[in-house]
């Protein structure tokens, strides 16, 4: 099993729709979890941290399920500007940081 | 990414040439990382440092060397460039004591002919 796995997509979603991504991780000792957004030919940028209790930031909601070892990202009322690649990131206790390969999202007008 | 800068932004090398990429930060973070990103491969860790004077190997260290003589700078060296090192290189910083998030520089696009 890969350390961090994501569906590469692409997800082609009409503007205004809701879309959800999942990411699974293999190391149960992982400590911190994040979603990053990366635009074409740009650096990854933090979208949001993911907490066990779940957290929301505007149209974005992140959830962590430690028992099943996955995190999720939900985007509501999607905008054209949401088109990007979304990276799942998992930090281990040993300073090891694992990036997923990303899920590509295309919002269609 | 105002706190992380990378020099140069673009570079073209011939096979066998050497060069050094500079990552500089003004956020006083202890941890610094060098990644490369290739199409379909995602981000792969080359080397990292958990503090001034320390370095460690990542997932793909071969062909690269690093140095962290000053806390704010992390240098990545290619002693003898190869076409397989054509990639986009990202530097990142992290402060595990606070938010534990990584902040990335804008990247260096390197082509080796």
């Amino acid at each position: 099993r890969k350390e961090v796995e994501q569906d590469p997509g692409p997800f082609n979603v009409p503007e205004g729709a809701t879309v959800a991504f999942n990411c699974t991780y293999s190391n149960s000792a992982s400590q911190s979890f994040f979603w990053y957004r990366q635009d074409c030919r740009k650096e990854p940028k933090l979208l949001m941290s993911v907490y066990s209790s779940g957290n929301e930031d505007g149209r974005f909601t992140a959830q962590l399920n430690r028992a099943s070892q996955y995190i999720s990202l939900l985007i509501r009322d999607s905008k054209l500007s949401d088109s990007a690649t979304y990276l799942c990131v998992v930090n281990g206790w040993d300073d090891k940081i694992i990036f997923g390969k990303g899920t590509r999202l295309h919002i269609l007008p | 990414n105002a706190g992380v800068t990378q020099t140069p932004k673009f570079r073209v090398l011939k096979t066998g040439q050497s060069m050094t990429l500079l990552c500089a930060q003004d956020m006083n973070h202890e941890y610094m990382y060098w990644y490369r990103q290739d199409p379909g491969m995602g981000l792969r860790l080359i080397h990292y440092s958990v503090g001034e004077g320390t370095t460690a190997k990542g997932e793909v260290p071969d062909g690269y060397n690093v140095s962290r003589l000053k806390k704010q700078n992390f240098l990545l060296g290619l002693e003898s460039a190869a076409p397989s090192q054509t990639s986009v290189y990202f530097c990142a910083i992290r402060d595990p004591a606070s938010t534990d998030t990584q902040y990335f520089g804008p990247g260096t696009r390197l082509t080796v002919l």
Side-chain angles (χ1 to χ4, degrees), chain A residues 81-102:
Chain A
S81 57
D82 293 334
S83 296
T85 296
Y86 291 83
L87 305 174
C88 169
V89 182
V90 176
N91 291 6
W93 60 270
D94 57 352
D95 296 326
K96 195 172 181 183
I97 300 174
I98 308 297
F99 282 80
K101 292 186 178 181

Side-chain angles (χ1 to χ4, degrees), chain A residues 32 36 38 41 43 91 95, chain B residues 1 31 37 100 102 105 109:
Chain A
S32 308
Y36 279 71
Q38 186 173 25
R41 300 177 68 80
E43 74 275 18
N91 291 6
D95 296 326
Chain B
N1 68 330
Y31 290 33
Q37 188 174 38
D100 204 25
Q102 283 190 311
R109 284 162 180 76

Side-chain angles (χ1 to χ4, degrees), chain A:
Chain A
R1 182 180 179 181
K2 293 180 182 176
E3 292 186 272
V4 175
E5 286 197 80
Q6 297 182 248
D7 183 340
F11 285 56
N12 297 309
V13 174
E15 191 175 9
T18 295
V19 60
F21 311 133
N22 278 344
C23 164
T24 59
Y25 61 95
S26 61
N27 187 348
S28 60
S30 298
Q31 298 289 304
S32 308
F33 308 86
F34 307 91
W35 283 104
Y36 279 71
R37 170 195 169 123
Q38 186 173 25
D39 295 294
C40 187
R41 300 177 68 80
K42 297 286 190 180
E43 74 275 18
K45 293 186 177 179
L46 178 68
L47 179 65
M48 57 198 306
S49 302
V50 187
Y51 305 117
S52 297
S53 55
N55 48 303
E56 187 174 309
D57 183 2
R59 297 181 294 107
F60 298 84
T61 300
Q63 297 275 355
L64 167 63
N65 186 318
R66 284 192 181 272
S68 300
Q69 295 182 206
Y70 76 85
I71 67 173
S72 64
L73 177 67
L74 181 78
I75 306 175
R76 290 181 299 277
D77 187 24
S78 54
K79 312 292 185 189
L80 294 176
S81 57
D82 293 334
S83 296
T85 296
Y86 291 83
L87 305 174
C88 169
V89 182
V90 176
N91 291 6
W93 60 270
D94 57 352
D95 296 326
K96 195 172 181 183
I97 300 174
I98 308 297
F99 282 80
K101 292 186 178 181
T103 297
R104 287 181 295 150
L105 173 64
H106 297 154
I107 304 300
L108 307 173

